[in-house]
Amino acid sequence: MRKPIIAIALLLVSLVATNVWWAYWVVDAGVSYTYLRASYEDSQRALSQALAIIEVVGDGSASRDQIVQAAQGAQLSWEPFEHDGYLWVGRLKLRFNESGYLIEAVAW
């Protein structure tokens, strides 16, 4: 009479353990997918800003204001600010020389 009770208890414990493992796996996959999507959206924003800047800088005579305006046009919700010699506009760090020409652009 004890053997069926032990077998049922072992099956019940293994059923609960596998269900907990599957639940953990599903939640982990959902969180990972959410972070992946956020990373993709950030990369997409940086790319759209870089492409907008390339169009303006292409002829070589673009001023600082034109470049900043192009970068902001691609990402309207970010206000530019200066820090450590860079002008941060959205997902891009821009560095200009004394004449106002773009010398470096870095995605962060």
Side-chain angles (χ1 to χ4, degrees):
M1 183 81 181
R2 288 253 338 141
K3 287 186 180 183
I5 293 174
I6 292 173
I8 291 172
L10 288 175
L11 287 173
L12 183 64
V13 167
S14 50
L15 176 66
V16 169
T18 57
N19 284 343
V20 167
W21 182 82
W22 279 107
Y24 170 78
W25 187 84
V26 167
V27 169
D28 184 52
V31 169
S32 297
Y33 179 74
T34 302
Y35 281 116
L36 179 66
R37 180 73 181 169
S39 175
Y40 170 76
E41 289 171 357
D42 282 345
S43 297
Q44 194 66 21
R45 285 187 205 111
L47 177 62
S48 66
Q49 280 188 295
L51 291 174
I53 289 174
I54 288 172
E55 291 177 8
V56 174
V57 177
D59 63 0
S61 64
S63 69
R64 176 184 170 125
D65 292 333
Q66 290 172 326
I67 294 170
V68 171
Q69 191 174 35
Q72 278 185 306
Q75 189 64 36
L76 295 174
S77 64
W78 295 54
E79 193 65 33
F81 64 94
E82 289 196 41
H83 183 68
D84 292 337
Y86 286 94
L87 179 68
W88 296 66
V89 183
R91 301 294 300 167
L92 295 178
K93 295 187 320 185
L94 307 173
R95 188 165 59 178
F96 297 89
N97 64 9
E98 296 80 27
S99 305
Y101 291 107
L102 181 66
I103 56 174
E104 184 180 9
V106 179
W108 60 279

